Amino acid sequence: MSNARVLADGRYQLDRKLGSGGMADVWLAHDNKMNRPVAVKLLALDRMRGSRRRDALTEQMQARYEKEWQSMARISSPYVAAIHDRGQEGDQAYFVMEWIDGRSLDHYVGPGSVLTLPQVTRWSVQICEGLADAHDADVVHRDIKPANIVINGNGNARIVDFGLARLLDVTETHGAGATWRYIAPERCNGEPGTHLSDLYSLGCVMYEMLTGNPPFTSRHGDSVAIVTMHLRQRPVDLGRVRRGVPAVLSDLVMSLLAKEPAQRPQHARAVARTIRGSVEHRPERPASGTEVTTPSALPAATSDPMDRVHSQEQRVRGLLSEHTADHPAVVDARFELAELTGDAGDPRGAADLYEAVGVDCAEFYGPYHPRVLDAYERMARWIAASS
């Protein structure tokens, strides 16, 4: 059945594989009944029969399968991918989920990544709202990580794979569903985890969005070393890794990473409120000898600087769908995005965006083009503003 191109008597037509893990494959499929694209998660129960104890584990997984499906179906949230259907054909169990056209967060984070504070705060709030909706339904994710957060075409975050980590956990003593760089200390000790474990993992993700790296890593990917760090080591303070992060936001991330669950914030909605409060201020623009002008019009008539950044990000994406990256309209829009980012309270992010557009303009037009010099001059002013 693993090679079948259809499921449920032909209702789901499997088009192409999107990814594969140890116990599951994800396919982009078409729901012929509802005439819509869907994501189908195939749980390969037959892969568990490679040892004498696998038959019993498969029975456990089958028993938990229906219970977890019912739990996941209770979640109703604009920030969580909906579960549409489930089924089983022979050794092939499957979930049918909402298809989100976008890229996972792990495409945006990593060493050298440029994530602005408006991006980090918007996505973090949306993840929190999704977690809160799930926790209100008594559902714990257990595997919050960048790969399980999708940024859709409108630049908004959606959580995927709710409940599936618990299904996979039954196959291994310490949890096959866990990803070590984002796992809570109590889960490292073999506990099943609670909503507070999800908040710890959120802290790991936010730390990575802000700094380019999760709080604990190993040069050689040594999971034992990473687990030991989660259990015993305090992360390096955010302020020492990235300048310009509001103290409220930095303190929040560090509190999410508390070793003891009772010392963490106790509800995802409270975390979302704190994140929103951390960016309510609007700093003054950096001083300059000349008026700062931007060639493109404001993207939307709104007084909220965060909304203006989001709208401008959408505008840049729209222009890139119509023009090449070196088109003047695209470059102008990127300049505007950098300036709005600084106005929204992220001078370091503004400097990074200006540096990126400056590097690109040097490649497009030559190193001494006025646009290159303009980008680096503005970058320097925002760096000074973040000092």
Side-chain angles (χ1 to χ4, degrees):
M1 178 58 68
S2 60
N3 294 321
R5 306 300 299 183
V6 295
L7 294 170
D9 295 325
R11 174 174 178 177
Y12 303 113
Q13 180 74 38
L14 305 184
D15 293 332
R16 60 184 173 91
K17 185 183 290 188
L18 300 174
S20 182
M23 296 295 170
D25 301 324
V26 181
W27 286 74
L28 175 62
H30 188 79
D31 182 343
N32 292 317
K33 180 178 179 179
M34 302 300 294
N35 191 26
R36 63 186 176 187
V38 292
V40 174
K41 188 99 171 186
L42 304 178
L43 304 179
L45 302 182
D46 57 339
R47 296 183 196 173
M48 301 177 190
R49 292 180 174 156
S51 68
R52 285 177 294 179
R53 68 186 188 97
R54 292 301 188 182
D55 285 338
L57 289 172
T58 302
E59 292 176 5
Q60 293 180 44
M61 190 170 190
Q62 289 172 324
R64 182 170 288 178
Y65 174 72
E66 186 66 24
K67 181 179 179 181
E68 289 300 311
W69 146 255
Q70 293 173 358
S71 297
M72 289 184 284
R74 291 200 306 267
I75 303 173
S76 177
S77 174
Y79 304 111
V80 175
I83 304 294
H84 294 316
D85 193 10
R86 66 27 180 135
Q88 184 170 336
E89 297 183 9
D91 284 327
Q92 187 70 81
Y94 61 89
F95 285 97
V96 181
M97 300 174 287
E98 175 187 4
W99 162 244
I100 302 173
D101 190 5
R103 304 182 74 183
S104 61
L105 182 59
D106 56 6
H107 285 91
Y108 296 85
V109 297
S113 64
V114 178
L115 280 184
T116 65
L117 283 180
Q119 286 175 313
V120 172
T121 54
R122 182 174 72 253
W123 292 343
S124 296
V125 165
Q126 291 168 344
I127 297 166
C128 283
E129 294 292 352
L131 286 175
D133 290 335
H135 296 164
D136 287 347
D138 295 323
V139 182
V140 178
H141 192 289
R142 293 184 174 84
D143 198 17
I144 290 294
K145 58 185 178 183
N148 282 338
I149 299 162
V150 177
I151 309 302
N152 67 15
N154 292 324
N156 294 315
R158 305 284 298 280
I159 307 174
V160 300
D161 278 6
F162 253 103
L164 296 183
R166 187 174 180 184
L167 286 174
L168 298 183
D169 277 351
V170 76
T171 68
E172 296 292 340
T173 303
H174 293 95
T179 302
W180 302 116
R181 290 185 297 173
Y182 310 95
I183 189 172
E186 59 272 20
R187 296 212 64 213
C188 294
N189 283 327
E191 298 176 23
T194 69
H195 69 285
L196 298 176
S197 307
D198 282 349
L199 293 183
Y200 181 94
S201 298
L202 169 65
C204 294
V205 172
M206 290 181 65
Y207 193 103
E208 184 172 9
M209 286 196 287
L210 288 165
T211 68
N213 291 290
F216 303 117
T217 59
S218 169
R219 179 175 298 179
H220 303 293
D222 185 346
S223 61
V224 174
I226 295 174
V227 165
T228 301
M229 294 176 195
H230 280 296
L231 290 169
R232 302 177 183 174
Q233 187 171 315
R234 175 182 168 83
V236 177
D237 286 338
L238 264 172
R240 294 173 55 189
V241 184
R242 175 174 174 174
R243 300 176 63 180
V245 178
V248 173
L249 186 60
S250 178
D251 292 344
L252 173 65
V253 174
M254 299 305 290
S255 69
L256 288 169
L257 296 175
K259 305 300 184 188
E260 294 297 328
Q263 297 176 358
R264 299 169 201 155
Q266 296 296 292
H267 200 284
R269 288 200 209 284
V271 176
R273 286 195 296 271
T274 303
I275 295 172
R276 290 189 180 102
S278 72
V279 294
E280 284 180 351
H281 72 287
R282 182 173 179 173
E284 296 182 359
R285 294 162 67 90
S288 175
T290 59
E291 180 79 12
V292 175
T293 59
T294 50
S296 57
L298 292 179
T302 172
S303 60
D304 188 329
M306 304 295 284
D307 287 345
R308 288 157 66 95
V309 170
H310 187 198
S311 182
Q312 187 66 15
E313 289 172 349
Q314 292 178 301
R315 183 167 183 266
V316 171
R317 284 193 291 271
L319 288 170
L320 282 169
S321 69
E322 301 173 2
H323 307 289
T324 58
D326 61 348
H327 192 282
V330 174
V331 174
D332 290 348
R334 291 177 64 187
F335 267 73
E336 177 69 17
L337 175 59
E339 202 65 28
L340 289 171
T341 297
D343 286 346
D346 187 9
R348 184 69 253 181
D352 289 342
L353 290 174
Y354 272 130
E355 180 180 19
V357 73
V359 169
D360 288 345
C361 285
E363 181 179 345
F364 299 152
Y365 314 129
Y368 303 110
H369 191 276
R371 296 258 73 182
V372 178
L373 303 179
D374 189 16
Y376 287 137
E377 178 184 349
R378 297 187 188 205
M379 177 189 74
R381 287 192 293 101
W382 281 114
I383 289 175
S386 67
S387 301

